Amino acid sequence: MAAASSLHVAAPAATPRVGSAGPKSASAARSVRVARSGAAVRPGGRLVACAAVATKADAPASEAASKSEGHEVLLFEALREGLMEEMQADPTVCVFGEDVGHYGGSYKVTKGLADMFGDLRVLDTPIAENSFTGMGVGAGMKGLRPVVEGMNMGFLLLAYNQISNNCGMLHYTSGGQFKIPLVIRGPGGVGRQLGAEHSQRLESYFQSIPGLQMVACSTPYNAKGLMKAAIRSENPVVLFEHVLLYNLKEKIPDEEYTLCLEEAEMVRPGEHVTILTYSRMRYHVMQAAKTLVNKGYDPEVIDIRSLKPFDLHTIGNSIKKTHRVLIVEECMRTGGIGASLRSAIIDNFWDYLDAPIMCLSSQDVPTPYAATLEDATVVQPAQIVAAVEQICQ
């Protein structure tokens, strides 16, 4: 796995006071966090955040067990729960962004947090993405754990310099003197007639930035788990949320949990073909899977979740079983996640393939406003069914 798989957390000697809620010091917060997550203390006082990095053997069993009881939430509420729990446990966690305060964010992920933690920890900013993203980088350098919200992910193109040259590279260019424990999150993807500028998929833009991790949530369960793990990570993490998934409802555990940032999710085991997908396309794939089963096919569906780095362990084991691969994404075809994933599969699992890798992606055009044209630019279930039939001939 990537170096990010081992999160070594050293408690800071002194931490600025950012609010009254939660423990009174960062070291106290770390103690609370370690006690809850089962982290181990290494010689020299260094802590290993075990809960944020689940083992391959433990993850499926623990997820199934923890889902047996719990409470129902919408996806945006699950994100809010994860953020709130981390802010209660650690006073260095803070939020920056447009309308994140008393308005509660454009999709209500931060609703009520300003009342709980104060205006300094949930900071409303001007409409200046480059400024407040740069402020998040600086806050991370000084020992805070900022969560920067882009009101729409497309707007974060205005902060591309801060994300690439600062956020992703400062740990290296400072010779390891600074860490950037920063989370950048917000809504993106093709919505319902939001127009070209509000329908961006920035994963293709950000994937080439050294030092940056990327994850995409697709259910309330993994949204909360990934949010908490991203906040605890010592690396800068971009958390992609799809604008059409915020109102998905699911039962999640009452007890605390986190998910591994580098691990894919087995959605449906199968034998005939491996379908790799993420975010909203997970639901198009599962809709297609019903049709495929009725036609006699047995697809294996994997939500890759980690867009950088890829979980080649899970992906590779599936390919060794099915020997056929279909990638389904909402990202652009040219230079998208699918192109990088196909390259990684060819480099690592070429000898296990019995058919060419197929990749279904959005068309390389600005997303139209008209609903019928908008649908035509995005992969639909019927196309997935046709692709599987072609691969399995």
Side-chain angles (χ1 to χ4, degrees), residues 270-314:
E271 298 290 338
H272 294 160
V273 59
T274 297
I275 304 180
L276 304 173
T277 189
Y278 66 93
S279 191
R280 174 198 178 193
M281 285 296 110
R282 168 177 175 151
Y283 298 95
H284 283 212
V285 168
M286 292 307 294
Q287 186 176 338
K290 296 178 182 178
T291 303
L292 289 168
V293 169
N294 291 335
K295 289 179 174 239
Y297 297 98
D298 186 18
E300 179 152 292
V301 180
I302 296 176
D303 184 341
I304 63 173
R305 284 199 314 212
S306 176
L307 308 185
K308 184 185 177 184
F310 296 129
D311 179 6
L312 294 180
H313 177 89
T314 300

Side-chain angles (χ1 to χ4, degrees), residues 17 44 55 68 101 104 109 111 123 131 140 165 176 194 221 232 236 244 249 251 348:
R17 184 171 180 175
T55 65
S68 59
V109 173
K111 182 180 179 181
L123 183 64
S131 298
N165 287 330
L194 298 179
Y221 179 79
R232 297 182 187 192
L244 292 182
K249 183 179 287 188
K251 182 177 288 188
N348 291 276

Side-chain angles (χ1 to χ4, degrees), residues 12 14-19 21-27 29-30 33 86-96 120-121 139-140 142-147 181 231 234:
T15 305
R17 184 171 180 175
V18 275
K24 293 184 179 180
S25 68
S27 58
R30 292 284 182 266
R33 175 174 292 168
E86 293 304 300
M87 294 185 74
Q88 289 172 333
D90 186 346
T92 66
V93 179
C94 50
V95 181
F96 303 152
L120 290 180
R121 290 188 67 189
K142 296 299 290 182
L144 301 183
R145 291 183 174 269
V147 178
I231 293 172
E234 294 300 295

Side-chain angles (χ1 to χ4, degrees), residues 38 69 73 76 197 206 250 256 322 350:
E69 297 179 359
V73 292
F76 80 89
E197 293 183 6
F206 292 155
E250 184 184 25
E256 185 185 44
T322 66
W350 173 260

Side-chain angles (χ1 to χ4, degrees), residues 14-348:
T15 305
R17 184 171 180 175
V18 275
S20 57
K24 293 184 179 180
S25 68
S27 58
R30 292 284 182 266
S31 299
V32 171
R33 175 174 292 168
V34 170
R36 292 192 309 177
S37 66
V41 181
R42 289 190 172 181
R46 298 181 70 78
L47 310 179
V48 183
C50 302
V53 185
T55 65
K56 292 288 178 184
D58 294 344
S62 62
E63 287 188 19
S66 60
K67 284 187 176 182
S68 59
E69 297 179 359
H71 57 287
E72 279 196 336
V73 292
L74 301 175
L75 189 143
F76 80 89
E77 294 171 330
L79 289 166
R80 179 183 175 276
E81 274 191 22
L83 181 54
M84 180 180 67
E85 288 175 9
E86 293 304 300
M87 294 185 74
Q88 289 172 333
D90 186 346
T92 66
V93 179
C94 50
V95 181
F96 303 152
E98 299 156 0
D99 289 336
V100 298
H102 295 283
Y103 183 71
S106 55
Y107 289 90
K108 302 306 176 187
V109 173
T110 57
K111 182 180 179 181
L113 297 186
D115 294 331
M116 295 177 65
F117 301 104
D119 293 340
L120 290 180
R121 290 188 67 189
V122 186
L123 183 64
D124 276 325
T125 66
I127 304 175
E129 282 77 11
N130 57 348
S131 298
F132 65 74
T133 304
M135 183 169 66
V137 174
M141 293 171 66
K142 296 299 290 182
L144 301 183
R145 291 183 174 269
V147 178
V148 171
E149 175 180 311
M151 182 179 284
N152 181 281
M153 290 299 271
F155 302 160
L156 290 178
L157 289 174
L158 296 168
Y160 194 84
N161 176 65
Q162 286 72 23
I163 295 170
S164 59
N165 287 330
N166 302 147
C167 177
M169 299 185 189
L170 267 170
H171 180 67
Y172 172 78
T173 56
S174 68
Q177 296 181 75
F178 296 111
K179 295 178 181 178
I180 317 294
L182 171 68
V183 178
I184 299 171
R185 53 152 298 269
V190 179
R192 296 248 189 267
Q193 295 183 269
L194 298 179
E197 293 183 6
H198 289 68
S199 301
Q200 293 275 32
R201 287 130 289 175
L202 295 193
E203 52 266 40
S204 61
Y205 291 74
F206 292 155
Q207 66 172 326
S208 61
I209 298 175
L212 201 65
Q213 272 190 276
M214 304 194 309
V215 291
C217 61
S218 54
T219 68
Y221 179 79
N222 67 40
K224 180 178 179 179
L226 292 173
M227 169 72 88
K228 291 172 70 67
I231 293 172
R232 297 182 187 192
S233 175
E234 294 300 295
N235 304 297
V237 179
V238 181
L239 173 58
F240 291 96
E241 305 155 13
H242 200 286
V243 67
L244 292 182
L245 300 185
Y246 281 121
N247 287 324
L248 283 177
K249 183 179 287 188
E250 184 184 25
K251 182 177 288 188
I252 66 173
D254 294 326
E255 66 272 13
E256 185 185 44
Y257 68 93
T258 61
L259 297 178
C260 179
L261 293 174
E262 295 89 28
E263 193 169 78
E265 176 188 352
M266 179 65 68
V267 180
R268 183 191 187 279
E271 298 290 338
H272 294 160
V273 59
T274 297
I275 304 180
L276 304 173
T277 189
Y278 66 93
S279 191
R280 174 198 178 193
M281 285 296 110
R282 168 177 175 151
Y283 298 95
H284 283 212
V285 168
M286 292 307 294
Q287 186 176 338
K290 296 178 182 178
T291 303
L292 289 168
V293 169
N294 291 335
K295 289 179 174 239
Y297 297 98
D298 186 18
E300 179 152 292
V301 180
I302 296 176
D303 184 341
I304 63 173
R305 284 199 314 212
S306 176
L307 308 185
K308 184 185 177 184
F310 296 129
D311 179 6
L312 294 180
H313 177 89
T314 300
I315 293 169
N317 285 342
S318 178
I319 293 171
K320 291 173 185 178
K321 176 174 61 172
T322 66
H323 308 291
R324 292 172 174 82
V325 180
L326 172 64
I327 301 169
V328 182
E329 62 176 346
E330 194 180 83
C331 196
M332 299 297 187
R333 183 171 184 81
T334 302
I337 295 297
S340 297
L341 185 54
R342 175 156 43 185
S343 176
I345 292 170
I346 290 172
D347 287 346
N348 291 276

